[in-house]
Amino acid sequence: MKNNLICSRKSLTACVERTILLVTKKENGGYEMKLKRKLLVFLAAVCLLAGNLAAVPVMAEETTGTEASVDCTGKYVNIALVVDTTGSMAGDIETVKENLSAFVKEIAASGAIPRIALIEYKDIQCDGDDSTVVHKTPDYSVWYDDAGQMVAEIEKLEAYGGGDSPESLVDALGYVTNDSVMTFNRYAAKFAFVLTDAAYNNANRWGYKDMNDAIAQLSAKGIQTTVVTHKDRYADTWDDVTEGYIMGDGYGSLTLSDVYADLTSKTGGTIIDMSEDFEKELSTYAKSIIAATASTEVDASYVPVTSISLGEAEEVPVVTGGAYKFPITVNPSDATVKDIIWSVEDESVATINKDLTTSEFCVVNPVNEGTTKLIAKTTDGGYTAFFTLTVADSLSDGTTTITCKPELVAGILTGSTDTKVALKLDESATTVDAGILKDIFTTLSTLPSKDVTFSFQDAYGEELYSWSFSGSELKDASTVINSFKIETGAKVDAVTAAVSATGTDGTTETIHFAHDGLLPGTATVKERTSLPDGTSYLYYYNPSTGKLEEAGEAKVEGGWVTYKIEHCCDYVLSSKVLNLSPAPTPATPAPAPQAQTTPTVKAPNTGDNTGIMAGISLLIVAIALVSVAEFMRRKRA
């Protein structure tokens, strides 16, 4: 914009230089004096003008963007563009597209970190629920960080559809306020920017009663909402579905400015008139957005999320009936908020175990063959990562075929060139149908070069233990395994007593098998252990003798132990060789009896008592004489 009011300092200096040059050209004294007077007047004017310039900000010949004093560096601004693309917008859509592009570019040039979303809406009552469209980046994010990509999306907008005049703006605003669709940067300046030429109806998929509910959500999230429309155009608020006026008492009773007064005023926004100088109004609003962004306060300790990753794979094959755990990486690692929202595009193909899923990983349960996307999104900024899940009943890597369906194993053994079949089962389903199990072992017995592994996993899809059988080591395919359940570290009193009887000092674990008896053949068992890496020793507990018997060696590596058995009961795994025949403990001899001596008790020294004893004796004699005399007297009488 040309500045016609203030002369630049550069042009002012040039004027002074030209005047001084004229003064030096002396043709006569009178002319010289006139020039001197003019020069003095001009210099006085220059001084006055210079004083005014000192008080007025210097403006460039062309002013674009924002004032230099506005600093948006490092500040986030999130803007949701909500555009009415019904047929009634056909006359305005090209102008809207052109000016929106300029608007986006101006925001991007502000020095802030702009992130812009685009939602187009029609009338879901006439055009269907999917007529409200949230545009997404190739990474499945609703936020466009690249202004060029956003402009390209805006260029795709086309005006068509719609029924009665009121359109489904309430539904579109639900996408802005719902975290499952749109999450904002934590300390961003937040804006919703609605472009429409019609009133709204209250139809929506978010459970909102009416526009007031949407306004409450926008206000609660601090999303300033501005509406660009034809302010003075009368609003047609008749709704064909409800067969009544949504607001007002008929056509001509309300203008679009009236219709959107609450939405804008209660969220801190404004109404821009599309009928006026739309380009100028939009540019002014862009500057106000930039100013608001610059004034946003950010906690000094806040570390924003910048990206997330689900690994390098673009496609991950999984099998129906299984469980899979997928970890997430949030960047930077010290981000303040690392919470993740997980979703799958098609829940008929796979579902998310919400009870086990956290912000660090997602547990997925494939349910039917097909493909779908697993999408991770941060609550801070809505950064996304995804990959495609390809779900099948069985998967082969060229050597091993994996399935979670026992009924498919026999067919895979005969129909596949793979030498191994891995049947993955949930730990709670440790019993396989006897008929299916017999078919598996009968088929395997005819294929000595093939193996079948029964792998039991926890709810996260992580293996707990497995049983592997080779066709070359089967003996009786008709033998039924009642249960594959294994309890490591089980407390069995009789086994504990047998271990104690060996007197060996070493680390041991008791292994309890739910199945009791022979197996169809040799089984290679793999399970978790706390024993140290290296060779450990396996012992079978014989319930008939109550003693342990050698059952071979076991290999421990990385927290897993592998060993072979042909029979199930209780076993002991030991880090040391147990002493199965300990020498009897010699009896401890009884101590020799010791001669008992009567202790001599020394009378206490009480002094000389001879006189006392003599007196007592005389008293006794006197009593005796008196008694005799009394006896004789009675006899005479």
Side-chain angles (χ1 to χ4, degrees), residues 343-416:
S343 63
V344 290
E345 270 193 320
D346 188 349
E347 292 189 345
S348 69
V349 175
T351 59
I352 292 174
N353 188 323
K354 296 180 180 179
D355 292 333
L356 301 180
T357 294
T358 70
S359 288
E360 296 179 352
F361 56 81
C362 181
V363 178
V364 175
N365 298 120
V367 292
N368 286 302
E369 290 190 310
T371 60
T372 187
K373 298 284 192 304
L374 174 65
I375 304 169
K377 178 178 65 175
T378 63
T379 59
D380 181 13
Y383 296 94
T384 57
F386 79 97
F387 56 71
T388 299
L389 284 171
T390 301
V391 183
D393 287 336
S394 63
L395 294 170
S396 171
D397 62 5
T399 301
T400 303
T401 297
I402 300 173
T403 185
C404 292
K405 297 180 179 293
E407 64 273 19
L408 299 182
V409 174
I412 294 172
L413 284 170
T414 57
S416 172

Side-chain angles (χ1 to χ4, degrees), residues 208-235:
Y208 295 161
K209 180 181 178 181
D210 52 30
M211 177 62 84
N212 289 326
D213 287 349
I215 292 173
Q217 288 294 316
L218 290 165
S219 298
K221 290 179 176 289
I223 303 171
Q224 185 186 105
T225 305
T226 287
V227 177
V228 177
T229 188
H230 298 279
K231 293 175 65 173
D232 297 328
R233 179 179 294 180
Y234 288 120

Side-chain angles (χ1 to χ4, degrees), residues 157-204:
L157 296 178
E158 296 181 1
Y160 65 89
D164 54 347
S165 180
E167 314 299 357
S168 298
L169 175 59
V170 175
D171 185 65
L173 292 176
Y175 285 88
V176 177
T177 58
N178 196 291
D179 287 342
S180 66
V181 179
M182 193 170 294
T183 54
F184 295 76
N185 290 92
R186 189 172 189 182
Y187 287 101
K190 308 177 186 73
F191 302 89
F193 195 70
V194 179
L195 296 103
T196 182
D197 66 347
Y200 60 83
N201 59 48
N202 291 313
N204 69 91

Side-chain angles (χ1 to χ4, degrees), residues 36 39 210 217 275 281 568:
K36 284 183 178 180
L39 178 59
D210 52 30
Q217 288 294 316
S275 303
E281 292 284 340
C568 286

Side-chain angles (χ1 to χ4, degrees), residues 500-543:
S500 298
T502 66
T504 305
D505 181 18
T507 303
T508 62
E509 289 179 347
T510 299
I511 305 169
H512 176 71
F513 290 89
H515 176 70
D516 187 7
L518 291 172
L519 296 171
T522 301
T524 300
V525 178
K526 180 181 178 182
E527 59 172 312
R528 297 183 183 184
T529 182
S530 60
L531 269 61
D533 286 3
T535 300
S536 289
Y537 305 91
L538 189 67
Y539 297 90
Y540 159 68
Y541 173 72
N542 189 331

